[in-house]
Amino acid sequence: MVFNLQFFFNYCSPVDDFEFRTDQFLPYLESMFTLLFQLLQEVTECDTKMHVLHVLSCVIERVNIQIRPYVGCLVQYLPLLWKQSEEHNMLRCAILTTLIHLIQGLGAESKNLYPFLLPIIQLSTDVSQPPHVYLLEDGLELWLVTLENSPCLTPELLRIFQNMSALLELSSENLRTCFKIINAYIFLSSSEFLQVYSGDLCQSFCELLKDITTEGQVQVLKVVENVLKVNPALGPQMFQPLLPSVFRGIIEGERYPVVMSTYLGVIGRVLLQNASFFSLLLSQMACECGQELDQLLGNMIEMWVDRMDNITQPERRKLSALALLSLLPSDNSVIQDKFCGIINISVEGLHDVMTEDPETRTYKDCMLMSHFEEPKMTEDEEPPTEQDKRKKTLALKDPVHTVSLQQFVYEKLKAQQELLGEQAFQALMETVDTEIVTQLQEFLQGF
């Protein structure tokens, strides 16, 4: 067989990226892949097998889903190669890399590989097994892409998560990938996953937060935020031990903006989507801080309004407006005292999310999602993963994407007016800056 491996290796290398035209390569894909696979079987040197696997990985990465008709032979051969390479960890790393690209190319069809794939992930990410020293980084990446492309959570896939507690204890450079894996489980099947692992996860997070970088702290809190997003009823109870420190961080005015933003995202979710739990948390914090409940609530609102600029993500800014507005209508003197701040945040939120239709001169909330649409892809774009589709489906249940902020502001102000009566409500509105009132009136035209 005449085949210039070095030429093709150079052709597929990242530095020659601009020369690789997928559309021009596709007519030769079947023959090229077949030849490469034959070569992989025939060569005996470990280094040569690694080179061939690298080239195969490059091909699979470039052509993505168009590789599907041709990978059957490779899928059948890899278990044998894995077994033969037991003493060659670097070859096993190459196999892991090939599997990563293979899973991305196969998408949901990768479920058929689980009998071979999941034991490999299990071994590679088990810190009690000696090979993890070589295989861990690639093993974690393979675990992540497997979850992202999984159509459903299987018992075996759930069981592998037993490896995670020890990985979190390592606090290594792989921690970011570990958090991505945790989030992928939450998006895949939060109820099943949290039912088994929420206790262990909460305990690991409590330990991590005692000694972790600011970035690590944010990553932990983003997981909690995702849990609250997908499971607002049970999420706060599952991660209850973490919430007092988050609340305290807001009251004390956490100095790092990115941490403060995440704190407000977490408490915003609880306040908006589980008001009864928020009341319990507020009572608990009032006892711990030795403050009156209303005084503590007032301090929280004041700090929230003061540090709103720490929040840069439009979704979280809208969430903050919705959460604070959810305190209305109220005859509570503290909430009425902070009414001006709540309206300021609401108008800021409206500026963030409202777009004007130039023809009708009316405003609409650009974050609203009314139905699931398969995105139209260009040839260069990769198709959405199963996880991308799950995130879209979850967004359709998220108040940030289902509740019109414009409508919400109007309804809350109307309810406040009905509760207090016209005169008292006007007195309340007079506490708001006239320019803010003018902007508010402009946004609420037509109501």
Side-chain angles (χ1 to χ4, degrees), residues 349-382:
L350 287 166
H351 279 293
D352 291 331
V353 305
M354 301 304 284
T355 53
E356 187 178 13
D357 186 325
E359 291 181 13
T360 61
R361 304 285 294 170
T362 57
Y363 289 93
K364 64 174 183 178
D365 189 329
C366 66
M367 284 196 189
L368 290 182
M369 293 172 61
S370 55
H371 60 283
F372 181 77
E373 289 180 2
E374 282 285 356
K376 294 179 177 65
M377 289 187 304
T378 63
E379 283 185 15
D380 297 330
E381 284 183 313
E382 291 183 5

mmCIF file of all heavy atoms in Angstrom, residues 349-382:
data_model
loop_
_atom_site.group_PDB
_atom_site.id
_atom_site.type_symbol
_atom_site.label_atom_id
_atom_site.label_comp_id
_atom_site.label_asym_id
_atom_site.label_seq_id
_atom_site.Cartn_x
_atom_site.Cartn_y
_atom_site.Cartn_z
ATOM 1 N N GLY A 349 -33.050 47.617 33.834
ATOM 2 C CA GLY A 349 -33.334 46.333 33.181
ATOM 3 C C GLY A 349 -34.077 46.532 31.867
ATOM 4 O O GLY A 349 -33.786 45.852 30.870
ATOM 5 N N LEU A 350 -35.032 47.449 31.855
ATOM 6 C CA LEU A 350 -35.782 47.731 30.630
ATOM 7 C C LEU A 350 -34.864 48.265 29.534
ATOM 8 O O LEU A 350 -34.979 47.893 28.369
ATOM 9 C CB LEU A 350 -36.907 48.726 30.924
ATOM 10 C CG LEU A 350 -38.104 48.156 31.717
ATOM 11 C CD1 LEU A 350 -38.990 49.274 32.249
ATOM 12 C CD2 LEU A 350 -38.920 47.191 30.859
ATOM 13 N N HIS A 351 -33.934 49.136 29.915
ATOM 14 C CA HIS A 351 -32.951 49.636 28.937
ATOM 15 C C HIS A 351 -32.113 48.487 28.378
ATOM 16 O O HIS A 351 -31.746 48.497 27.200
ATOM 17 C CB HIS A 351 -32.032 50.677 29.583
ATOM 18 C CG HIS A 351 -32.631 52.055 29.655
ATOM 19 N ND1 HIS A 351 -32.885 52.818 28.529
ATOM 20 C CD2 HIS A 351 -33.033 52.801 30.717
ATOM 21 C CE1 HIS A 351 -33.419 53.984 28.894
ATOM 22 N NE2 HIS A 351 -33.519 53.996 30.221
ATOM 23 N N ASP A 352 -31.813 47.508 29.226
ATOM 24 C CA ASP A 352 -30.983 46.365 28.797
ATOM 25 C C ASP A 352 -31.699 45.487 27.783
ATOM 26 O O ASP A 352 -31.079 45.002 26.828
ATOM 27 C CB ASP A 352 -30.603 45.493 30.002
ATOM 28 C CG ASP A 352 -29.630 46.174 30.943
ATOM 29 O OD1 ASP A 352 -28.839 47.003 30.462
ATOM 30 O OD2 ASP A 352 -29.661 45.867 32.151
ATOM 31 N N VAL A 353 -33.001 45.231 28.007
ATOM 32 C CA VAL A 353 -33.673 44.173 27.243
ATOM 33 C C VAL A 353 -34.680 44.653 26.206
ATOM 34 O O VAL A 353 -35.069 43.882 25.330
ATOM 35 C CB VAL A 353 -34.393 43.164 28.184
ATOM 36 C CG1 VAL A 353 -33.425 42.593 29.199
ATOM 37 C CG2 VAL A 353 -35.598 43.794 28.887
ATOM 38 N N MET A 354 -35.082 45.899 26.287
ATOM 39 C CA MET A 354 -36.129 46.358 25.365
ATOM 40 C C MET A 354 -35.534 46.877 24.057
ATOM 41 O O MET A 354 -34.583 47.644 24.058
ATOM 42 C CB MET A 354 -36.977 47.462 26.009
ATOM 43 C CG MET A 354 -37.666 47.043 27.301
ATOM 44 S SD MET A 354 -38.701 45.580 27.139
ATOM 45 C CE MET A 354 -40.102 46.286 26.296
ATOM 46 N N THR A 355 -36.106 46.430 22.945
ATOM 47 C CA THR A 355 -35.715 46.950 21.635
ATOM 48 C C THR A 355 -36.942 47.608 21.005
ATOM 49 O O THR A 355 -38.058 47.122 21.151
ATOM 50 C CB THR A 355 -35.203 45.824 20.714
ATOM 51 O OG1 THR A 355 -36.191 44.772 20.669
ATOM 52 C CG2 THR A 355 -33.901 45.253 21.223
ATOM 53 N N GLU A 356 -36.689 48.704 20.303
ATOM 54 C CA GLU A 356 -37.806 49.469 19.721
ATOM 55 C C GLU A 356 -38.025 49.077 18.271
ATOM 56 O O GLU A 356 -37.078 48.960 17.490
ATOM 57 C CB GLU A 356 -37.505 50.969 19.810
ATOM 58 C CG GLU A 356 -38.684 51.839 19.391
ATOM 59 C CD GLU A 356 -38.384 53.334 19.535
ATOM 60 O OE1 GLU A 356 -37.205 53.677 19.720
ATOM 61 O OE2 GLU A 356 -39.321 54.131 19.442
ATOM 62 N N ASP A 357 -39.292 48.849 17.930
ATOM 63 C CA ASP A 357 -39.679 48.604 16.543
ATOM 64 C C ASP A 357 -39.803 49.972 15.868
ATOM 65 O O ASP A 357 -40.681 50.769 16.228
ATOM 66 C CB ASP A 357 -41.025 47.867 16.488
ATOM 67 C CG ASP A 357 -41.406 47.465 15.070
ATOM 68 O OD1 ASP A 357 -41.081 48.240 14.142
ATOM 69 O OD2 ASP A 357 -42.028 46.414 14.892
ATOM 70 N N PRO A 358 -38.926 50.293 14.895
ATOM 71 C CA PRO A 358 -38.928 51.640 14.302
ATOM 72 C C PRO A 358 -40.235 51.999 13.590
ATOM 73 O O PRO A 358 -40.585 53.176 13.496
ATOM 74 C CB PRO A 358 -37.756 51.603 13.305
ATOM 75 C CG PRO A 358 -37.454 50.156 13.090
ATOM 76 C CD PRO A 358 -37.902 49.437 14.316
ATOM 77 N N GLU A 359 -40.960 50.989 13.119
ATOM 78 C CA GLU A 359 -42.199 51.268 12.384
ATOM 79 C C GLU A 359 -43.351 51.585 13.334
ATOM 80 O O GLU A 359 -44.057 52.575 13.160
ATOM 81 C CB GLU A 359 -42.565 50.081 11.486
ATOM 82 C CG GLU A 359 -41.596 49.908 10.316
ATOM 83 C CD GLU A 359 -41.990 48.741 9.420
ATOM 84 O OE1 GLU A 359 -43.118 48.233 9.558
ATOM 85 O OE2 GLU A 359 -41.153 48.350 8.581
ATOM 86 N N THR A 360 -43.532 50.725 14.344
ATOM 87 C CA THR A 360 -44.677 50.916 15.250
ATOM 88 C C THR A 360 -44.331 51.789 16.447
ATOM 89 O O THR A 360 -45.222 52.190 17.189
ATOM 90 C CB THR A 360 -45.170 49.548 15.769
ATOM 91 O OG1 THR A 360 -44.101 48.918 16.498
ATOM 92 C CG2 THR A 360 -45.591 48.641 14.619
ATOM 93 N N ARG A 361 -42.997 52.061 16.633
ATOM 94 C CA ARG A 361 -42.522 52.843 17.790
ATOM 95 C C ARG A 361 -42.905 52.194 19.113
ATOM 96 O O ARG A 361 -43.087 52.868 20.123
ATOM 97 C CB ARG A 361 -43.076 54.286 17.747
ATOM 98 C CG ARG A 361 -42.773 55.052 16.482
ATOM 99 C CD ARG A 361 -41.339 55.516 16.403
ATOM 100 N NE ARG A 361 -41.035 56.513 17.437
ATOM 101 C CZ ARG A 361 -39.796 56.951 17.716
ATOM 102 N NH1 ARG A 361 -38.781 56.443 17.061
ATOM 103 N NH2 ARG A 361 -39.597 57.859 18.638
ATOM 104 N N THR A 362 -43.068 50.871 19.095
ATOM 105 C CA THR A 362 -43.363 50.145 20.338
ATOM 106 C C THR A 362 -42.136 49.327 20.733
ATOM 107 O O THR A 362 -41.273 49.025 19.908
ATOM 108 C CB THR A 362 -44.571 49.200 20.163
ATOM 109 O OG1 THR A 362 -44.290 48.299 19.070
ATOM 110 C CG2 THR A 362 -45.843 49.969 19.885
ATOM 111 N N TYR A 363 -42.101 48.963 22.032
ATOM 112 C CA TYR A 363 -40.954 48.221 22.561
ATOM 113 C C TYR A 363 -41.305 46.745 22.760
ATOM 114 O O TYR A 363 -42.455 46.407 23.036
ATOM 115 C CB TYR A 363 -40.530 48.800 23.911
ATOM 116 C CG TYR A 363 -39.887 50.168 23.811
ATOM 117 C CD1 TYR A 363 -40.648 51.326 23.933
ATOM 118 C CD2 TYR A 363 -38.511 50.286 23.604
ATOM 119 C CE1 TYR A 363 -40.059 52.585 23.844
ATOM 120 C CE2 TYR A 363 -37.910 51.542 23.520
ATOM 121 C CZ TYR A 363 -38.688 52.682 23.635
ATOM 122 O OH TYR A 363 -38.104 53.916 23.556
ATOM 123 N N LYS A 364 -40.283 45.897 22.610
ATOM 124 C CA LYS A 364 -40.489 44.485 22.951
ATOM 125 C C LYS A 364 -39.250 43.955 23.682
ATOM 126 O O LYS A 364 -38.137 44.451 23.479
ATOM 127 C CB LYS A 364 -40.779 43.653 21.700
ATOM 128 C CG LYS A 364 -39.643 43.587 20.698
ATOM 129 C CD LYS A 364 -39.978 42.629 19.565
ATOM 130 C CE LYS A 364 -38.792 42.531 18.597
ATOM 131 N NZ LYS A 364 -39.031 41.577 17.513
ATOM 132 N N ASP A 365 -39.471 42.963 24.520
ATOM 133 C CA ASP A 365 -38.409 42.354 25.320
ATOM 134 C C ASP A 365 -37.633 41.374 24.435
ATOM 135 O O ASP A 365 -38.153 40.340 24.029
ATOM 136 C CB ASP A 365 -39.039 41.620 26.519
ATOM 137 C CG ASP A 365 -38.015 41.131 27.519
ATOM 138 O OD1 ASP A 365 -36.889 40.812 27.109
ATOM 139 O OD2 ASP A 365 -38.349 41.065 28.716
ATOM 140 N N CYS A 366 -36.356 41.687 24.147
ATOM 141 C CA CYS A 366 -35.584 40.876 23.199
ATOM 142 C C CYS A 366 -35.150 39.534 23.796
ATOM 143 O O CYS A 366 -34.618 38.682 23.078
ATOM 144 C CB CYS A 366 -34.357 41.653 22.721
ATOM 145 S SG CYS A 366 -33.143 41.983 24.016
ATOM 146 N N MET A 367 -35.349 39.332 25.098
ATOM 147 C CA MET A 367 -34.943 38.059 25.714
ATOM 148 C C MET A 367 -36.048 37.010 25.717
ATOM 149 O O MET A 367 -35.818 35.874 26.125
ATOM 150 C CB MET A 367 -34.474 38.293 27.152
ATOM 151 C CG MET A 367 -33.113 38.892 27.207
ATOM 152 S SD MET A 367 -32.391 38.731 28.821
ATOM 153 C CE MET A 367 -30.967 39.751 28.565
ATOM 154 N N LEU A 368 -37.236 37.386 25.286
ATOM 155 C CA LEU A 368 -38.335 36.420 25.295
ATOM 156 C C LEU A 368 -38.130 35.346 24.229
ATOM 157 O O LEU A 368 -37.735 35.633 23.103
ATOM 158 C CB LEU A 368 -39.670 37.134 25.043
ATOM 159 C CG LEU A 368 -40.174 38.039 26.175
ATOM 160 C CD1 LEU A 368 -41.519 38.624 25.802
ATOM 161 C CD2 LEU A 368 -40.274 37.269 27.482
ATOM 162 N N MET A 369 -38.378 34.099 24.613
ATOM 163 C CA MET A 369 -38.320 32.972 23.686
ATOM 164 C C MET A 369 -39.675 32.284 23.740
ATOM 165 O O MET A 369 -40.083 31.815 24.793
ATOM 166 C CB MET A 369 -37.222 31.983 24.099
ATOM 167 C CG MET A 369 -35.824 32.545 23.963
ATOM 168 S SD MET A 369 -34.575 31.441 24.677
ATOM 169 C CE MET A 369 -34.796 29.978 23.675
ATOM 170 N N SER A 370 -40.360 32.234 22.602
ATOM 171 C CA SER A 370 -41.722 31.695 22.625
ATOM 172 C C SER A 370 -41.785 30.224 22.224
ATOM 173 O O SER A 370 -42.652 29.501 22.641
ATOM 174 C CB SER A 370 -42.636 32.519 21.714
ATOM 175 O OG SER A 370 -42.090 32.581 20.416
ATOM 176 N N HIS A 371 -40.835 29.756 21.407
ATOM 177 C CA HIS A 371 -40.863 28.348 21.009
ATOM 178 C C HIS A 371 -39.470 27.918 20.590
ATOM 179 O O HIS A 371 -38.593 28.726 20.294
ATOM 180 C CB HIS A 371 -41.860 28.111 19.862
ATOM 181 C CG HIS A 371 -41.541 28.885 18.626
ATOM 182 N ND1 HIS A 371 -41.814 30.230 18.507
ATOM 183 C CD2 HIS A 371 -40.969 28.508 17.450
ATOM 184 C CE1 HIS A 371 -41.417 30.656 17.307
ATOM 185 N NE2 HIS A 371 -40.897 29.632 16.652
ATOM 186 N N PHE A 372 -39.287 26.602 20.566
ATOM 187 C CA PHE A 372 -37.976 26.042 20.222
ATOM 188 C C PHE A 372 -37.796 26.015 18.715
ATOM 189 O O PHE A 372 -38.613 25.473 18.000
ATOM 190 C CB PHE A 372 -37.855 24.622 20.784
ATOM 191 C CG PHE A 372 -36.527 23.977 20.494
ATOM 192 C CD1 PHE A 372 -35.406 24.322 21.224
ATOM 193 C CD2 PHE A 372 -36.399 23.039 19.481
ATOM 194 C CE1 PHE A 372 -34.177 23.732 20.956
ATOM 195 C CE2 PHE A 372 -35.174 22.444 19.206
ATOM 196 C CZ PHE A 372 -34.060 22.797 19.943
ATOM 197 N N GLU A 373 -36.718 26.625 18.271
ATOM 198 C CA GLU A 373 -36.425 26.618 16.837
ATOM 199 C C GLU A 373 -35.073 25.959 16.604
ATOM 200 O O GLU A 373 -34.094 26.293 17.262
ATOM 201 C CB GLU A 373 -36.367 28.056 16.289
ATOM 202 C CG GLU A 373 -37.728 28.737 16.212
ATOM 203 C CD GLU A 373 -37.596 30.159 15.655
ATOM 204 O OE1 GLU A 373 -36.471 30.555 15.304
ATOM 205 O OE2 GLU A 373 -38.613 30.855 15.581
ATOM 206 N N GLU A 374 -35.020 25.019 15.657
ATOM 207 C CA GLU A 374 -33.736 24.460 15.257
ATOM 208 C C GLU A 374 -32.971 25.559 14.522
ATOM 209 O O GLU A 374 -33.479 26.119 13.543
ATOM 210 C CB GLU A 374 -33.933 23.258 14.317
ATOM 211 C CG GLU A 374 -34.329 21.976 15.033
ATOM 212 C CD GLU A 374 -33.158 21.335 15.768
ATOM 213 O OE1 GLU A 374 -32.021 21.849 15.667
ATOM 214 O OE2 GLU A 374 -33.388 20.324 16.444
ATOM 215 N N PRO A 375 -31.784 25.910 15.004
ATOM 216 C CA PRO A 375 -31.061 27.001 14.342
ATOM 217 C C PRO A 375 -30.654 26.630 12.923
ATOM 218 O O PRO A 375 -30.334 25.470 12.640
ATOM 219 C CB PRO A 375 -29.814 27.182 15.228
ATOM 220 C CG PRO A 375 -29.653 25.895 15.950
ATOM 221 C CD PRO A 375 -31.024 25.311 16.097
ATOM 222 N N LYS A 376 -30.689 27.620 12.042
ATOM 223 C CA LYS A 376 -30.240 27.391 10.663
ATOM 224 C C LYS A 376 -28.717 27.478 10.661
ATOM 225 O O LYS A 376 -28.149 28.476 11.078
ATOM 226 C CB LYS A 376 -30.858 28.443 9.730
ATOM 227 C CG LYS A 376 -32.360 28.323 9.597
ATOM 228 C CD LYS A 376 -32.915 29.409 8.687
ATOM 229 C CE LYS A 376 -34.404 29.250 8.491
ATOM 230 N NZ LYS A 376 -35.164 29.435 9.736
ATOM 231 N N MET A 377 -28.080 26.410 10.183
ATOM 232 C CA MET A 377 -26.620 26.347 10.230
ATOM 233 C C MET A 377 -26.010 26.656 8.871
ATOM 234 O O MET A 377 -26.561 26.293 7.843
ATOM 235 C CB MET A 377 -26.168 24.945 10.659
ATOM 236 C CG MET A 377 -26.420 24.617 12.106
ATOM 237 S SD MET A 377 -25.648 23.038 12.477
ATOM 238 C CE MET A 377 -26.426 21.984 11.252
ATOM 239 N N THR A 378 -24.867 27.321 8.920
ATOM 240 C CA THR A 378 -24.080 27.464 7.708
ATOM 241 C C THR A 378 -23.199 26.212 7.592
ATOM 242 O O THR A 378 -23.092 25.432 8.537
ATOM 243 C CB THR A 378 -23.183 28.717 7.775
ATOM 244 O OG1 THR A 378 -22.249 28.554 8.853
ATOM 245 C CG2 THR A 378 -24.008 29.965 8.028
ATOM 246 N N GLU A 379 -22.536 26.060 6.465
ATOM 247 C CA GLU A 379 -21.715 24.861 6.243
ATOM 248 C C GLU A 379 -20.568 24.765 7.245
ATOM 249 O O GLU A 379 -20.121 23.688 7.602
ATOM 250 C CB GLU A 379 -21.163 24.866 4.819
ATOM 251 C CG GLU A 379 -22.198 24.456 3.780
ATOM 252 C CD GLU A 379 -21.578 24.343 2.394
ATOM 253 O OE1 GLU A 379 -20.341 24.299 2.296
ATOM 254 O OE2 GLU A 379 -22.346 24.297 1.424
ATOM 255 N N ASP A 380 -20.046 25.916 7.668
ATOM 256 C CA ASP A 380 -18.880 25.928 8.562
ATOM 257 C C ASP A 380 -19.253 25.675 10.017
ATOM 258 O O ASP A 380 -18.381 25.394 10.837
ATOM 259 C CB ASP A 380 -18.156 27.280 8.460
ATOM 260 C CG ASP A 380 -17.611 27.523 7.055
ATOM 261 O OD1 ASP A 380 -17.289 26.527 6.383
ATOM 262 O OD2 ASP A 380 -17.520 28.695 6.655
ATOM 263 N N GLU A 381 -20.509 25.805 10.357
ATOM 264 C CA GLU A 381 -20.923 25.666 11.754
ATOM 265 C C GLU A 381 -21.139 24.210 12.137
ATOM 266 O O GLU A 381 -21.601 23.406 11.329
ATOM 267 C CB GLU A 381 -22.233 26.445 11.994
ATOM 268 C CG GLU A 381 -22.042 27.943 12.094
ATOM 269 C CD GLU A 381 -23.353 28.653 12.413
ATOM 270 O OE1 GLU A 381 -24.373 28.340 11.768
ATOM 271 O OE2 GLU A 381 -23.356 29.518 13.294
ATOM 272 N N GLU A 382 -20.782 23.913 13.391
ATOM 273 C CA GLU A 382 -21.026 22.568 13.896
ATOM 274 C C GLU A 382 -22.483 22.451 14.320
ATOM 275 O O GLU A 382 -23.066 23.419 14.822
ATOM 276 C CB GLU A 382 -20.105 22.280 15.088
ATOM 277 C CG GLU A 382 -18.642 22.169 14.688
ATOM 278 C CD GLU A 382 -17.760 21.811 15.870
ATOM 279 O OE1 GLU A 382 -18.296 21.571 16.963
ATOM 280 O OE2 GLU A 382 -16.534 21.778 15.691
#
